[in-house]
Amino acid sequence: MAASRTTMENEDNIPEYEYVDVNTNVFHIGSFQSEWLKRLSPQEWSYQQQDETEFDANFAKDMQINAQTMDALKSVCSYDSLCCHPEEEKPDMETVPEDSILRTLLQRKKRQDYKASLKIHKNRHDLYAEELDRLTVVRKPDTVTDMLPEGEIILTINIYYPAVFDKFNYVRPHMTLLMTGSHTLAELRDAICCVSDLQVCGEFSNTPDVAPDFTSKDLYKSAFFFFEGIFYNDMRFPECQDISMTIIEWAKSHNFPPYSQAGMEDTRFSDLKVKVGFPYLYCHQGDCEHLVIITDVRLTHRDDCLDKKFYPLLIHKHRIATQKCAVCHIFIGRWFTKNDQFAPSDPCLFCEKCFRMLHYDSEGKKLGNFVAYPYVDRGAFN
Amino acid sequence: MAFDGKFRRSGSELVKLDCDYLLGLFQKTESVRFEVFTKIWKETKFSEIFHGTLVHENRPFSRLVLRVAYTYFVPPHSFQIRVGGLYLLYCLYFSQRASPPEKIHIALKDWGDVKKFERDAVEAHHYDIVYILRQLMHTKAFYFSAMPMELSFKKYKNHQAPLRCEKFIERASRPQELISIELLDELSNVHSHYDKLKGSVFSESEHSSSSVNLIQKDLVPQLRSTVVDFHTWQQKRSCLKPEDDSCVPVEESGEGTASHEETNKRAQLLASIKTKAYGQATEASKSRRHRQVELELSNSVEAETLNNQARPNFKKRTSLKSRICDSVHISGDIEKATPKTTVIYRLVTVDSEGPGQTEGGNKDVQNSGGDKDTG
């Protein structure tokens, strides 16, 4: 049943459902990899595809059947025998067939008819959805050293946007990254793009030119991941602090089970013990908290992007509607002003160009009284 | 099908219904040949399932279809359905529109089953099954992965437990496998040997004493008849199945006001109760044995004989009885009903034995249409 909980430690590292279709029990990723490799022949996980004739010959030998039977078998099982349409008429793949008995198609037909009745044919999501697809096509590396080793593990990781924005509680926007088992958690941290890393603190109405030099990422470098009771702290730089300590001590004083710590930069994914499908935490900038879910762990495949340089590979990114400049309504807002006599509202957003034109004279001298803060749009990474 | 318009179903549910339909046809043929499958595939024009998707929907849809098809390929489905599932995966994999093709996620926990499946097929000389499985391996159609799908801790608003088509699930065959002719031979040999040995130890006069004659004389024939009974009961049950299914749409059309979702749920509930009931009918609790209901049988003579045969055998399985008897209760007066047969239409669960029992019994009588015939 779905609720059968296994509290037992998973000794053999074969992932099983903890809750059906939701998440698995804890397993060690490195051992999971070796379990697969143990069960498969090198041929099965190699990138090389066996020659067709060789395959047939091997099959005939294995099954002890003669060439005649083999030919008959091949013709029966060939893919060409699957065509539902006569050869001369090529079916139209784009339209939903009219007279189908399949329920999927009946519903799709309804939806297509409905869409055709709309004035707008493609919405924002339809337009951009094809863009990232192009990134994930097979890329073969130029040099052998850049080649992903055969039998390596690939993890699919969803990083959710922090739920600071009301709407995010319903749509759960996220980005999806592909990582290999040899990547460290620090590399995952560097691959996560979050606008709170780009924020600039301070009021810069007098010196607008120097503002964007200090982002929060440079100032506050501490961060941690939390997987299965262990805090993985980023300690690569001298200014990094152990920001998980507060939580650990709090937990200790409230009789929670003890938590431990480890270094983010020393931990590779293959060393981790995790549940697939279970939400974990990434916390940076003190309180910017992202859920992290490992949705899939698998061996590499010949159709994957095999160039190491492209990893961590971004394969999905949610696009957030950007907020535009109050003046031109074209460019994304870069400045945020208050007590501004030129602005139509308080507070108000301006793009770089409109902000300069409205608030400074040709020599760059500040006009009037206002305070201005650099603004980073939520959709800055779109 | 007319209900689909009113109630939007999720994509995977629809795909599942379609696959159920296709594999249902395949099951009727009672064949595992790939030619037979392709014939059905072509007749239903199943590859059209990929037609009409938007370009960026191709990949997610392929993933969905393969994920659904994969569920048929792994236990607890019967061998034939698993073969159908394999063929379905093969056909879907090669007809999908995504390029490079979307791969089939195969879970580590299922790998042993897949290998065993392959061994079974090799042993039975089903070359087409082995060929297609190896061909999929050869074209590298699989992702060797942790789980058969990507898990992202999703909660569904009206989530239903994944329903399996009950017809597809393998029937228990262990009793038949265990009690083979050879075993019975062996057993009767051992039995007679033991009997003789025992007889030789004691003198002639002692033979009449009870301790020597404690062994059951008719052990072997009784064991055999039990297994045969079990088998015929199973056959009967599977014969009844289609009738059950056919009654569902009748009910639906009768209740025009009820939503499809509801009737569907009700039908499932009914089906589950029925299966429980059939399981129960043979194993009524001791206190209710006098009112035990028998399985639906075509004529009373057959019922009589089967009943007489079955009685002593089922006594052995009292432990199983006690486990089940709390969940569902059946009523019906067997004493009165001997000339007629009782049909179970509806059943009511009773919370506890004892005082509640009579109350429950009354409820049963009210609810069950079949009892009106008898009473």
Side-chain angles (χ1 to χ4, degrees):
Chain A
M1 284 269 93
S4 65
R5 194 187 169 104
T6 49
T7 42
M8 242 170 35
E9 186 80 350
N10 185 8
E11 289 297 336
D12 48 7
N13 289 299
I14 296 174
E16 292 275 355
Y17 279 123
E18 186 177 47
Y19 295 101
V20 172
D21 290 350
V22 179
N23 69 284
T24 68
N25 51 7
V26 186
F27 65 97
H28 184 258
I29 291 179
S31 319
F32 162 78
Q33 177 183 12
S34 49
E35 288 293 326
W36 256 129
L37 296 183
K38 210 165 70 190
R39 282 168 173 74
L40 299 172
S41 66
Q43 174 64 43
E44 283 168 316
W45 46 267
S46 139
Y47 298 148
Q48 303 302 320
Q49 194 168 2
Q50 202 184 9
D51 187 48
E52 191 74 31
T53 49
E54 196 186 328
F55 168 78
D56 290 343
N58 278 350
F59 184 82
K61 213 176 86 189
D62 262 18
M63 298 290 118
Q64 295 164 347
I65 49 179
N66 56 29
Q68 210 177 350
T69 327
M70 191 64 210
D71 285 343
L73 189 63
K74 268 184 81 174
S75 69
V76 165
C77 298
S78 82
Y79 167 61
D80 301 329
S81 67
L82 295 179
C83 266
C84 295
H85 298 270
E87 261 176 48
E88 56 273 18
E89 61 173 274
K90 273 263 173 271
D92 181 9
M93 301 285 254
E94 301 308 321
T95 53
V96 183
E98 288 285 343
D99 51 345
S100 183
I101 44 167
L102 301 181
R103 290 179 173 208
T104 314
L105 290 175
L106 290 175
Q107 175 150 324
R108 192 180 294 154
K109 177 84 191 146
K110 278 209 180 77
R111 216 183 60 179
Q112 201 178 42
D113 292 345
Y114 169 72
K115 278 208 163 182
S117 70
L118 295 176
K119 280 178 189 154
I120 309 158
H121 291 291
K122 272 189 167 182
N123 63 22
R124 186 161 57 95
H125 297 282
D126 289 350
L127 270 177
Y128 292 114
E130 287 149 34
E131 200 177 274
L132 265 173
D133 225 26
R134 258 174 271 148
L135 278 175
T136 55
V137 294
V138 198
R139 281 173 203 261
K140 293 273 180 287
D142 306 326
T143 56
V144 186
T145 47
D146 285 338
M147 184 85 143
L148 218 56
E150 293 183 346
E152 175 64 290
I153 280 278
I154 286 190
L155 298 102
T156 317
I157 304 172
N158 281 1
I159 296 112
Y160 291 83
Y161 294 4
V164 287
F165 185 23
D166 254 0
K167 207 174 146 196
F168 286 6
N169 288 326
Y170 308 102
V171 290
R172 302 219 296 181
H174 63 270
M175 59 178 127
T176 306
L177 289 166
L178 293 184
M179 306 278 293
T180 65
S182 56
H183 277 124
T184 65
L185 289 174
E187 282 166 293
L188 173 63
R189 163 171 161 63
D190 292 340
I192 296 173
C193 34
C194 172
V195 287
S196 64
D197 274 340
L198 297 184
Q199 300 300 336
V200 180
C201 301
E203 198 277 307
F204 292 93
S205 62
N206 293 315
T207 53
D209 296 328
V210 296
D213 289 349
F214 323 95
T215 60
S216 300
K217 196 174 191 175
D218 306 321
L219 286 175
Y220 312 106
K221 291 184 172 165
S222 311
F224 67 79
F225 283 102
F226 176 74
F227 290 109
E228 284 303 312
I230 303 174
F231 289 94
Y232 296 93
N233 284 292
D234 189 353
M235 292 305 229
R236 283 174 294 178
F237 305 100
E239 44 295 30
C240 288
Q241 295 172 11
D242 180 356
I243 54 172
S244 67
M245 209 54 214
T246 338
I247 306 171
I248 293 173
E249 274 167 9
W250 182 88
K252 210 180 274 172
S253 65
H254 285 73
N255 288 329
F256 276 98
Y259 296 117
S260 55
Q261 287 160 300
M264 190 190 280
E265 59 277 11
D266 319 318
T267 312
R268 291 178 304 132
F269 277 105
S270 47
D271 306 329
L272 280 182
K273 273 190 165 184
V274 287
K275 296 174 181 177
V276 168
F278 196 76
Y280 296 109
L281 184 71
Y282 165 59
C283 177
H284 66 137
Q285 299 300 332
D287 65 348
C288 184
E289 294 172 335
H290 300 251
L291 284 187
V292 176
I293 299 182
I294 299 173
T295 57
D296 189 28
V297 184
R298 60 178 172 84
L299 297 186
T300 49
H301 188 275
R302 66 197 295 271
D303 284 350
D304 282 321
C305 167
L306 295 181
D307 197 335
K308 262 188 200 167
K309 282 181 297 187
F310 285 98
Y311 286 88
L313 182 69
L314 183 72
I315 55 165
H316 165 85
K317 187 149 187 4
H318 183 89
R319 280 159 216 283
I320 307 161
T322 50
Q323 281 168 298
K324 305 292 189 294
C325 163
V327 178
C328 62
H329 284 290
I330 296 172
F331 296 109
I332 297 169
R334 293 288 304 275
W335 289 92
F336 177 89
T337 63
K338 290 191 95 172
N339 303 327
D340 188 352
Q341 60 192 47
F342 306 116
S345 65
D346 186 24
C348 188
L349 269 185
F350 295 99
C351 71
E352 189 72 42
K353 208 171 175 185
C354 298
F355 175 71
R356 296 296 174 102
M357 273 160 56
L358 201 60
H359 295 88
Y360 300 91
D361 63 17
S362 49
E363 278 95 54
K365 215 168 118 276
K366 183 179 167 184
L367 306 170
N369 276 327
F370 64 93
V371 282
Y373 305 94
Y375 177 80
V376 183
D377 194 86
R378 275 188 291 260
F381 285 110
N382 280 6
Chain B
M1 263 176 244
F3 297 99
D4 285 347
K6 270 188 235 162
F7 301 97
R8 213 188 143 85
R9 286 159 178 259
S10 72
S12 62
E13 270 178 289
L14 289 169
V15 170
K16 199 181 166 311
L17 286 173
D18 288 337
C19 292
D20 278 349
Y21 172 68
L22 180 78
L23 290 177
L25 291 177
F26 183 60
Q27 194 181 33
K28 268 185 208 143
T29 63
E30 290 180 0
S31 160
V32 289
R33 292 282 79 82
F34 187 63
E35 298 154 84
V36 179
F37 184 84
T38 43
K39 199 166 146 261
I40 300 169
W41 172 272
K42 282 183 205 166
E43 275 167 9
T44 50
K45 296 192 175 173
F46 209 80
S47 68
E48 286 184 354
I49 203 162
F50 291 107
H51 291 196
T53 49
L54 296 174
V55 178
H56 70 270
E57 287 172 347
N58 279 344
R59 202 159 277 282
F61 184 70
S62 300
R63 209 175 298 156
L64 172 91
V65 170
L66 291 173
R67 195 186 81 208
V68 172
Y70 176 81
T71 56
Y72 297 101
F73 179 45
V74 287
H77 292 104
S78 67
F79 184 75
Q80 200 209 354
I81 292 302
R82 292 183 68 189
V83 172
L86 173 71
Y87 291 163
L88 191 60
L89 281 175
Y90 178 79
C91 296
L92 289 169
Y93 180 78
F94 284 104
S95 343
Q96 64 177 313
R97 292 174 71 201
S99 166
E102 196 58 42
K103 307 295 179 296
I104 304 157
H105 283 253
I106 190 163
L108 181 57
K109 66 183 167 71
D110 297 331
W111 183 249
D113 291 325
V114 172
K115 278 283 141 191
K116 188 172 176 299
F117 174 82
E118 190 186 3
R119 271 200 304 278
D120 288 349
V122 170
E123 274 163 25
H125 298 285
H126 293 313
Y127 297 128
D128 43 0
I129 301 174
V130 188
Y131 183 82
I132 281 181
L133 184 60
R134 299 235 175 129
Q135 187 72 39
L136 278 175
M137 279 294 175
H138 166 72
T139 45
K140 309 223 176 272
F142 292 109
Y143 273 152
F144 302 111
S145 120
M147 280 289 139
M149 60 193 277
E150 295 200 336
L151 302 170
S152 53
F153 213 72
K154 248 188 201 146
K155 263 196 174 173
Y156 300 94
K157 256 186 191 162
N158 35 13
H159 183 69
Q160 290 183 331
L163 291 165
R164 291 205 181 87
C165 196
E166 246 189 79
K167 279 189 286 176
F168 294 170
I169 290 173
E170 192 167 26
R171 264 186 275 135
S173 58
R174 290 282 177 236
Q176 291 98 304
E177 275 171 29
L178 183 70
I179 314 295
S180 60
I181 297 294
E182 293 89 67
L183 183 120
L184 285 173
D185 265 356
E186 189 68 28
L187 195 66
S188 68
N189 282 341
V190 172
H191 199 74
S192 60
H193 192 64
Y194 178 64
D195 198 19
K196 271 181 213 150
L197 266 179
K198 217 173 177 184
S200 66
V201 169
F202 294 96
S203 64
E204 203 62 39
S205 59
E206 280 172 312
H207 267 222
S208 52
S209 73
S210 57
S211 70
V212 186
N213 293 321
L214 263 180
I215 41 169
Q216 215 172 344
K217 292 278 186 237
D218 58 344
L219 176 71
V220 177
Q222 206 175 347
L223 188 63
R224 194 185 152 273
S225 72
T226 310
V227 176
V228 170
D229 279 348
F230 174 70
H231 187 69
T232 47
W233 168 75
Q234 223 177 27
Q235 293 285 316
K236 276 251 143 60
R237 203 183 128 183
S238 65
C239 291
L240 285 175
K241 276 272 153 219
E243 284 175 28
D244 290 350
D245 289 348
S246 65
C247 79
V248 172
V250 177
E251 270 175 357
E252 277 177 352
S253 59
E255 295 164 345
T257 48
S259 72
H260 182 242
E261 205 103 300
E262 269 175 18
T263 48
N264 199 19
K265 261 187 202 155
R266 219 175 77 86
Q268 284 156 10
L269 192 72
L270 278 174
S272 78
I273 292 173
K274 272 173 192 160
T275 51
K276 269 188 190 169
Y278 293 133
Q280 172 90 17
T282 53
E283 294 140 9
S285 68
K286 258 183 200 144
S287 58
R288 307 197 129 249
R289 186 149 290 152
H290 65 288
R291 342 175 60 194
Q292 191 178 355
V293 182
E294 62 202 55
L295 298 172
E296 187 172 24
L297 291 168
S298 46
N299 69 51
S300 53
V301 183
E302 199 184 332
E304 194 78 53
T305 51
L306 188 92
N307 206 24
N308 290 341
Q309 270 179 7
R311 277 287 171 88
N313 300 329
F314 289 120
K315 267 180 199 162
K316 288 176 196 165
R317 301 204 275 162
T318 41
S319 65
L320 189 70
K321 169 209 78 185
S322 57
R323 269 178 286 151
I324 308 170
C325 69
D326 286 334
S327 57
V328 178
H329 271 273
I330 307 161
S331 96
D333 284 347
I334 197 74
E335 286 158 330
K336 291 181 195 167
T338 25
K340 285 182 179 179
T341 55
T342 310
V343 188
I344 309 155
Y345 280 118
R346 210 167 293 172
L347 301 158
V348 171
T349 53
V350 178
D351 296 333
S352 60
E353 294 268 337
Q357 199 181 330
T358 46
E359 199 191 313
N362 290 338
K363 244 190 236 169
D364 288 351
V365 174
Q366 279 164 18
N367 284 338
S368 88
D371 281 341
K372 282 172 196 158
D373 302 345
T374 62

